[in-house]
Short mmCIF file of all heavy atoms in Angstrom, two decimals:
data_model
loop_
_atom_site.label_atom_id
_atom_site.label_comp_id
_atom_site.label_asym_id
_atom_site.label_seq_id
_atom_site.Cartn_x
_atom_site.Cartn_y
_atom_site.Cartn_z
N ARG A 835 -11.39 67.64 -10.83
CA ARG A 835 -11.78 68.77 -11.68
C ARG A 835 -13.23 69.16 -11.44
O ARG A 835 -13.76 70.03 -12.13
CB ARG A 835 -11.60 68.40 -13.16
CG ARG A 835 -10.17 68.12 -13.58
CD ARG A 835 -10.12 67.71 -15.05
NE ARG A 835 -8.78 67.29 -15.45
CZ ARG A 835 -7.84 68.13 -15.90
NH1 ARG A 835 -8.11 69.43 -16.02
NH2 ARG A 835 -6.65 67.69 -16.25
N ASP A 836 -13.87 68.50 -10.49
CA ASP A 836 -15.29 68.74 -10.21
C ASP A 836 -15.48 70.16 -9.69
O ASP A 836 -15.00 70.52 -8.60
CB ASP A 836 -15.78 67.73 -9.18
CG ASP A 836 -17.29 67.77 -8.97
OD1 ASP A 836 -17.90 68.82 -9.24
OD2 ASP A 836 -17.84 66.76 -8.52
N ARG A 837 -16.19 70.98 -10.45
CA ARG A 837 -16.36 72.39 -10.07
C ARG A 837 -17.05 72.56 -8.72
O ARG A 837 -16.82 73.54 -8.01
CB ARG A 837 -17.17 73.11 -11.17
CG ARG A 837 -16.38 73.37 -12.44
CD ARG A 837 -17.25 74.10 -13.47
NE ARG A 837 -16.47 74.55 -14.60
CZ ARG A 837 -16.12 73.79 -15.63
NH1 ARG A 837 -16.49 72.51 -15.64
NH2 ARG A 837 -15.43 74.27 -16.63
N GLU A 838 -17.88 71.61 -8.36
CA GLU A 838 -18.58 71.71 -7.08
C GLU A 838 -17.64 71.51 -5.90
O GLU A 838 -17.94 71.93 -4.78
CB GLU A 838 -19.70 70.68 -7.02
CG GLU A 838 -20.83 70.95 -8.01
CD GLU A 838 -21.94 69.92 -7.88
OE1 GLU A 838 -21.86 69.07 -6.97
OE2 GLU A 838 -22.88 69.98 -8.68
N LEU A 839 -16.49 70.88 -6.15
CA LEU A 839 -15.56 70.59 -5.06
C LEU A 839 -14.37 71.53 -5.01
O LEU A 839 -13.68 71.61 -4.00
CB LEU A 839 -15.04 69.15 -5.20
CG LEU A 839 -16.09 68.03 -5.11
CD1 LEU A 839 -15.43 66.67 -5.32
CD2 LEU A 839 -16.81 68.06 -3.77
N LEU A 840 -14.12 72.25 -6.11
CA LEU A 840 -12.95 73.12 -6.15
C LEU A 840 -13.07 74.24 -5.13
O LEU A 840 -14.12 74.87 -5.00
CB LEU A 840 -12.77 73.69 -7.56
CG LEU A 840 -12.47 72.68 -8.67
CD1 LEU A 840 -12.45 73.36 -10.03
CD2 LEU A 840 -11.16 71.97 -8.41
N ASN A 841 -11.96 74.52 -4.45
CA ASN A 841 -11.95 75.54 -3.40
C ASN A 841 -11.46 76.90 -3.90
O ASN A 841 -11.80 77.94 -3.33
CB ASN A 841 -11.03 75.10 -2.25
CG ASN A 841 -11.59 73.91 -1.52
OD1 ASN A 841 -12.75 73.90 -1.15
ND2 ASN A 841 -10.78 72.88 -1.33
N SER A 842 -10.66 76.90 -4.94
CA SER A 842 -10.00 78.13 -5.38
C SER A 842 -10.58 78.62 -6.70
O SER A 842 -11.44 77.99 -7.31
CB SER A 842 -8.50 77.88 -5.53
OG SER A 842 -7.94 77.45 -4.30
N TYR A 843 -10.03 79.75 -7.13
CA TYR A 843 -10.45 80.36 -8.39
C TYR A 843 -10.14 79.41 -9.55
O TYR A 843 -9.06 78.88 -9.68
CB TYR A 843 -9.69 81.68 -8.60
CG TYR A 843 -9.87 82.26 -9.98
CD1 TYR A 843 -11.08 82.82 -10.37
CD2 TYR A 843 -8.82 82.24 -10.89
CE1 TYR A 843 -11.23 83.36 -11.64
CE2 TYR A 843 -8.96 82.76 -12.16
CZ TYR A 843 -10.17 83.32 -12.54
OH TYR A 843 -10.33 83.84 -13.80
N GLU A 844 -11.14 79.16 -10.39
CA GLU A 844 -10.95 78.29 -11.55
C GLU A 844 -10.39 79.10 -12.70
O GLU A 844 -11.06 79.97 -13.24
CB GLU A 844 -12.28 77.64 -11.96
CG GLU A 844 -12.10 76.62 -13.06
CD GLU A 844 -13.42 75.95 -13.43
OE1 GLU A 844 -14.43 76.21 -12.75
OE2 GLU A 844 -13.42 75.20 -14.40
N GLU A 845 -9.15 78.82 -13.06
CA GLU A 845 -8.47 79.60 -14.09
C GLU A 845 -8.97 79.27 -15.49
O GLU A 845 -8.89 80.10 -16.39
CB GLU A 845 -6.96 79.34 -14.02
CG GLU A 845 -6.35 79.74 -12.69
CD GLU A 845 -4.86 79.46 -12.65
OE1 GLU A 845 -4.23 79.36 -13.73
OE2 GLU A 845 -4.32 79.30 -11.54
N GLY A 846 -9.46 78.06 -15.67
CA GLY A 846 -9.92 77.64 -16.98
C GLY A 846 -10.36 76.19 -16.94
O GLY A 846 -10.27 75.54 -15.89
N PRO A 847 -10.81 75.64 -18.04
CA PRO A 847 -11.31 74.27 -18.05
C PRO A 847 -10.26 73.21 -17.75
O PRO A 847 -10.60 72.06 -17.48
CB PRO A 847 -11.86 74.11 -19.48
CG PRO A 847 -11.21 75.19 -20.28
CD PRO A 847 -10.96 76.30 -19.34
N TRP A 848 -8.99 73.61 -17.80
CA TRP A 848 -7.91 72.67 -17.47
C TRP A 848 -7.66 72.53 -15.98
O TRP A 848 -6.96 71.64 -15.54
CB TRP A 848 -6.61 73.17 -18.12
CG TRP A 848 -6.15 74.48 -17.55
CD1 TRP A 848 -5.40 74.67 -16.42
CD2 TRP A 848 -6.48 75.77 -18.01
NE1 TRP A 848 -5.22 76.01 -16.16
CE2 TRP A 848 -5.87 76.71 -17.15
CE3 TRP A 848 -7.21 76.25 -19.11
CZ2 TRP A 848 -5.99 78.09 -17.33
CZ3 TRP A 848 -7.32 77.62 -19.30
CH2 TRP A 848 -6.72 78.52 -18.41
N TYR A 849 -8.27 73.38 -15.20
CA TYR A 849 -7.89 73.56 -13.79
C TYR A 849 -8.34 72.37 -12.93
O TYR A 849 -9.44 71.85 -13.07
CB TYR A 849 -8.52 74.83 -13.25
CG TYR A 849 -8.07 75.21 -11.86
CD1 TYR A 849 -6.78 75.68 -11.63
CD2 TYR A 849 -8.92 75.07 -10.77
CE1 TYR A 849 -6.35 76.03 -10.36
CE2 TYR A 849 -8.51 75.41 -9.49
CZ TYR A 849 -7.22 75.88 -9.30
OH TYR A 849 -6.80 76.23 -8.03
N TYR A 850 -7.44 71.94 -12.03
CA TYR A 850 -7.78 70.90 -11.06
C TYR A 850 -7.08 71.20 -9.75
O TYR A 850 -6.13 71.99 -9.70
CB TYR A 850 -7.39 69.51 -11.58
CG TYR A 850 -5.91 69.32 -11.85
CD1 TYR A 850 -5.03 68.97 -10.82
CD2 TYR A 850 -5.39 69.47 -13.14
CE1 TYR A 850 -3.68 68.80 -11.07
CE2 TYR A 850 -4.05 69.29 -13.40
CZ TYR A 850 -3.19 68.96 -12.36
OH TYR A 850 -1.86 68.78 -12.61
N GLU A 851 -7.55 70.54 -8.69
CA GLU A 851 -6.96 70.73 -7.37
C GLU A 851 -6.80 69.39 -6.66
O GLU A 851 -7.62 68.47 -6.86
CB GLU A 851 -7.85 71.61 -6.49
CG GLU A 851 -7.90 73.06 -6.91
CD GLU A 851 -8.78 73.89 -5.99
OE1 GLU A 851 -9.65 73.30 -5.30
OE2 GLU A 851 -8.62 75.11 -5.96
N GLN A 852 -5.77 69.30 -5.83
CA GLN A 852 -5.63 68.15 -4.94
C GLN A 852 -6.27 68.52 -3.62
O GLN A 852 -5.82 69.44 -2.93
CB GLN A 852 -4.17 67.76 -4.73
CG GLN A 852 -4.02 66.56 -3.81
CD GLN A 852 -2.58 66.13 -3.58
OE1 GLN A 852 -1.71 66.42 -4.38
NE2 GLN A 852 -2.34 65.44 -2.47
N LEU A 853 -7.31 67.78 -3.24
CA LEU A 853 -8.05 68.07 -2.01
C LEU A 853 -7.68 67.14 -0.86
O LEU A 853 -7.88 67.48 0.30
CB LEU A 853 -9.56 67.97 -2.27
CG LEU A 853 -10.10 68.84 -3.40
CD1 LEU A 853 -11.60 68.64 -3.54
CD2 LEU A 853 -9.76 70.31 -3.18
N GLU A 854 -7.18 65.94 -1.19
CA GLU A 854 -6.79 64.95 -0.19
C GLU A 854 -5.46 64.32 -0.60
O GLU A 854 -5.04 64.45 -1.76
CB GLU A 854 -7.85 63.83 -0.07
CG GLU A 854 -9.22 64.30 0.33
CD GLU A 854 -9.35 64.63 1.81
OE1 GLU A 854 -8.37 64.35 2.56
OE2 GLU A 854 -10.39 65.15 2.21
N LEU A 855 -4.81 63.63 0.35
CA LEU A 855 -3.64 62.84 -0.01
C LEU A 855 -4.15 61.50 -0.52
O LEU A 855 -4.40 60.57 0.24
CB LEU A 855 -2.72 62.65 1.19
CG LEU A 855 -1.43 61.84 0.90
CD1 LEU A 855 -0.59 62.52 -0.16
CD2 LEU A 855 -0.63 61.64 2.18
N GLY A 856 -4.34 61.44 -1.83
CA GLY A 856 -4.86 60.22 -2.43
C GLY A 856 -3.75 59.35 -2.99
O GLY A 856 -2.57 59.55 -2.73
N TYR A 857 -4.14 58.38 -3.79
CA TYR A 857 -3.22 57.37 -4.32
C TYR A 857 -3.51 57.13 -5.79
O TYR A 857 -4.59 57.50 -6.29
CB TYR A 857 -3.38 56.06 -3.53
CG TYR A 857 -3.07 56.24 -2.07
CD1 TYR A 857 -4.04 56.75 -1.20
CD2 TYR A 857 -1.81 55.95 -1.56
CE1 TYR A 857 -3.76 56.96 0.14
CE2 TYR A 857 -1.53 56.15 -0.21
CZ TYR A 857 -2.51 56.65 0.63
OH TYR A 857 -2.22 56.85 1.96
N ASN A 858 -2.59 56.52 -6.47
CA ASN A 858 -2.84 56.13 -7.86
C ASN A 858 -3.34 54.69 -7.85
O ASN A 858 -2.59 53.74 -8.04
CB ASN A 858 -1.58 56.26 -8.71
CG ASN A 858 -1.85 55.95 -10.17
OD1 ASN A 858 -2.97 55.64 -10.54
ND2 ASN A 858 -0.83 56.03 -11.00
N TYR A 859 -4.62 54.55 -7.60
CA TYR A 859 -5.25 53.24 -7.53
C TYR A 859 -6.19 53.02 -8.72
O TYR A 859 -7.10 52.21 -8.66
CB TYR A 859 -6.06 53.11 -6.23
CG TYR A 859 -5.23 52.84 -5.00
CD1 TYR A 859 -5.77 53.05 -3.73
CD2 TYR A 859 -3.92 52.36 -5.08
CE1 TYR A 859 -5.04 52.79 -2.58
CE2 TYR A 859 -3.18 52.11 -3.94
CZ TYR A 859 -3.74 52.33 -2.68
OH TYR A 859 -3.02 52.07 -1.54
N ARG A 860 -5.95 53.73 -9.80
CA ARG A 860 -6.85 53.63 -10.95
C ARG A 860 -6.75 52.25 -11.61
O ARG A 860 -5.68 51.64 -11.66
CB ARG A 860 -6.53 54.72 -11.97
CG ARG A 860 -6.82 56.13 -11.47
CD ARG A 860 -6.59 57.14 -12.57
NE ARG A 860 -5.21 57.13 -13.03
CZ ARG A 860 -4.34 58.14 -12.85
NH1 ARG A 860 -4.73 59.22 -12.20
NH2 ARG A 860 -3.12 58.06 -13.31
N ILE A 861 -7.86 51.81 -12.16
CA ILE A 861 -7.92 50.59 -12.95
C ILE A 861 -8.05 50.99 -14.42
O ILE A 861 -8.51 52.10 -14.73
CB ILE A 861 -9.11 49.71 -12.51
CG1 ILE A 861 -9.00 48.30 -13.09
CG2 ILE A 861 -10.45 50.36 -12.85
CD1 ILE A 861 -10.01 47.31 -12.49
N THR A 862 -7.67 50.12 -15.32
CA THR A 862 -7.67 50.48 -16.74
C THR A 862 -8.95 50.04 -17.44
O THR A 862 -9.64 49.12 -17.00
CB THR A 862 -6.48 49.83 -17.46
OG1 THR A 862 -6.68 48.41 -17.50
CG2 THR A 862 -5.16 50.14 -16.76
N ASP A 863 -9.23 50.68 -18.58
CA ASP A 863 -10.34 50.24 -19.43
C ASP A 863 -10.08 48.85 -19.98
O ASP A 863 -11.02 48.07 -20.19
CB ASP A 863 -10.54 51.22 -20.59
CG ASP A 863 -11.29 52.48 -20.16
OD1 ASP A 863 -10.92 53.09 -19.14
OD2 ASP A 863 -12.23 52.86 -20.84
N ILE A 864 -8.82 48.52 -20.20
CA ILE A 864 -8.47 47.18 -20.68
C ILE A 864 -8.95 46.13 -19.68
O ILE A 864 -9.61 45.14 -20.05
CB ILE A 864 -6.95 47.06 -20.88
CG1 ILE A 864 -6.44 48.09 -21.89
CG2 ILE A 864 -6.58 45.65 -21.32
CD1 ILE A 864 -4.92 48.22 -21.92
N GLN A 865 -8.64 46.34 -18.41
CA GLN A 865 -9.05 45.41 -17.37
C GLN A 865 -10.57 45.36 -17.23
O GLN A 865 -11.17 44.29 -17.06
CB GLN A 865 -8.43 45.80 -16.04
CG GLN A 865 -6.92 45.65 -15.98
CD GLN A 865 -6.34 46.33 -14.76
OE1 GLN A 865 -6.27 47.55 -14.68
NE2 GLN A 865 -5.94 45.54 -13.78
N CYS A 866 -11.20 46.53 -17.30
CA CYS A 866 -12.64 46.59 -17.09
C CYS A 866 -13.41 45.97 -18.26
O CYS A 866 -14.53 45.47 -18.07
CB CYS A 866 -13.08 48.03 -16.85
SG CYS A 866 -12.56 48.64 -15.22
N ALA A 867 -12.84 45.98 -19.45
CA ALA A 867 -13.47 45.29 -20.57
C ALA A 867 -13.54 43.79 -20.27
O ALA A 867 -14.57 43.14 -20.50
CB ALA A 867 -12.69 45.53 -21.85
N LEU A 868 -12.45 43.25 -19.75
CA LEU A 868 -12.45 41.85 -19.33
C LEU A 868 -13.49 41.63 -18.24
O LEU A 868 -14.23 40.64 -18.25
CB LEU A 868 -11.06 41.44 -18.85
CG LEU A 868 -10.90 40.03 -18.29
CD1 LEU A 868 -11.35 38.98 -19.29
CD2 LEU A 868 -9.45 39.78 -17.87
N GLY A 869 -13.55 42.57 -17.29
CA GLY A 869 -14.50 42.46 -16.19
C GLY A 869 -15.95 42.46 -16.65
O GLY A 869 -16.79 41.70 -16.15
N ILE A 870 -16.28 43.31 -17.62
CA ILE A 870 -17.64 43.37 -18.15
C ILE A 870 -18.03 42.02 -18.77
O ILE A 870 -19.12 41.50 -18.53
CB ILE A 870 -17.76 44.50 -19.19
CG1 ILE A 870 -17.72 45.86 -18.48
CG2 ILE A 870 -19.04 44.37 -20.01
CD1 ILE A 870 -17.55 47.04 -19.42
N SER A 871 -17.14 41.46 -19.55
CA SER A 871 -17.40 40.17 -20.17
C SER A 871 -17.52 39.07 -19.12
O SER A 871 -18.40 38.20 -19.20
CB SER A 871 -16.28 39.83 -21.16
OG SER A 871 -16.52 38.60 -21.78
N GLN A 872 -16.66 39.12 -18.11
CA GLN A 872 -16.70 38.12 -17.05
C GLN A 872 -18.00 38.21 -16.24
O GLN A 872 -18.57 37.18 -15.84
CB GLN A 872 -15.50 38.30 -16.13
CG GLN A 872 -14.16 37.92 -16.75
CD GLN A 872 -13.78 36.49 -16.45
OE1 GLN A 872 -13.63 36.10 -15.30
NE2 GLN A 872 -13.63 35.69 -17.50
N MET A 873 -18.48 39.41 -16.00
CA MET A 873 -19.73 39.58 -15.25
C MET A 873 -20.90 38.88 -15.93
O MET A 873 -21.81 38.38 -15.27
CB MET A 873 -20.04 41.07 -15.05
CG MET A 873 -19.24 41.76 -13.97
SD MET A 873 -19.54 41.10 -12.30
CE MET A 873 -21.27 41.53 -12.07
N ASP A 874 -20.88 38.86 -17.26
CA ASP A 874 -21.95 38.17 -18.00
C ASP A 874 -21.95 36.67 -17.73
O ASP A 874 -22.96 36.00 -17.96
CB ASP A 874 -21.79 38.42 -19.51
CG ASP A 874 -22.10 39.85 -19.91
OD1 ASP A 874 -22.82 40.53 -19.15
OD2 ASP A 874 -21.60 40.29 -20.96
N LYS A 875 -20.83 36.14 -17.25
CA LYS A 875 -20.72 34.70 -16.99
C LYS A 875 -20.72 34.36 -15.50
O LYS A 875 -20.63 33.19 -15.13
CB LYS A 875 -19.42 34.18 -17.64
CG LYS A 875 -19.40 34.29 -19.15
CD LYS A 875 -18.16 33.64 -19.74
CE LYS A 875 -16.96 34.55 -19.67
NZ LYS A 875 -16.97 35.62 -20.67
N LEU A 876 -20.81 35.39 -14.65
CA LEU A 876 -20.67 35.17 -13.21
C LEU A 876 -21.65 34.14 -12.67
O LEU A 876 -21.26 33.23 -11.92
CB LEU A 876 -20.82 36.49 -12.45
CG LEU A 876 -20.84 36.39 -10.91
CD1 LEU A 876 -19.58 35.73 -10.38
CD2 LEU A 876 -21.03 37.78 -10.29
N ASP A 877 -22.92 34.26 -13.01
CA ASP A 877 -23.90 33.31 -12.47
C ASP A 877 -23.59 31.89 -12.91
O ASP A 877 -23.76 30.93 -12.13
CB ASP A 877 -25.31 33.71 -12.90
CG ASP A 877 -25.82 34.94 -12.14
OD1 ASP A 877 -25.27 35.24 -11.08
OD2 ASP A 877 -26.77 35.58 -12.63
N ASP A 878 -23.14 31.72 -14.14
CA ASP A 878 -22.75 30.38 -14.61
C ASP A 878 -21.54 29.87 -13.85
O ASP A 878 -21.46 28.68 -13.49
CB ASP A 878 -22.46 30.40 -16.11
CG ASP A 878 -23.70 30.59 -16.96
OD1 ASP A 878 -24.80 30.28 -16.47
OD2 ASP A 878 -23.57 31.06 -18.10
N PHE A 879 -20.58 30.77 -13.60
CA PHE A 879 -19.40 30.39 -12.82
C PHE A 879 -19.81 29.90 -11.43
O PHE A 879 -19.33 28.87 -10.94
CB PHE A 879 -18.45 31.57 -12.67
CG PHE A 879 -17.68 31.93 -13.92
CD1 PHE A 879 -17.01 33.15 -14.00
CD2 PHE A 879 -17.62 31.08 -15.00
CE1 PHE A 879 -16.29 33.51 -15.13
CE2 PHE A 879 -16.89 31.41 -16.15
CZ PHE A 879 -16.23 32.63 -16.21
N VAL A 880 -20.69 30.67 -10.79
CA VAL A 880 -21.12 30.33 -9.43
C VAL A 880 -21.88 29.01 -9.43
O VAL A 880 -21.67 28.16 -8.54
CB VAL A 880 -21.98 31.47 -8.84
CG1 VAL A 880 -22.64 31.02 -7.53
CG2 VAL A 880 -21.12 32.71 -8.59
N ASP A 881 -22.74 28.81 -10.41
CA ASP A 881 -23.48 27.55 -10.50
C ASP A 881 -22.54 26.36 -10.61
O ASP A 881 -22.75 25.31 -9.97
CB ASP A 881 -24.42 27.57 -11.70
CG ASP A 881 -25.64 28.45 -11.49
OD1 ASP A 881 -25.92 28.83 -10.34
OD2 ASP A 881 -26.31 28.76 -12.50
#
Side-chain angles (χ1 to χ4, degrees):
R835 296 178 186 272
D836 188 336
R837 286 180 171 82
E838 293 182 4
L839 298 178
L840 296 175
N841 293 311
S842 301
Y843 170 72
E844 186 178 354
E845 299 179 22
W848 65 85
Y849 187 71
Y850 61 84
E851 290 181 339
Q852 180 180 337
L853 305 180
E854 300 284 352
L855 181 60
Y857 300 82
N858 184 0
Y859 283 163
R860 294 184 299 247
I861 193 170
T862 68
D863 281 49
I864 301 168
Q865 293 168 287
C866 288
L868 176 56
I870 288 168
S871 181
Q872 289 267 300
M873 282 297 296
D874 290 337
K875 296 185 278 284
L876 174 58
D877 286 341
D878 290 337
F879 287 166
V880 170
D881 286 345

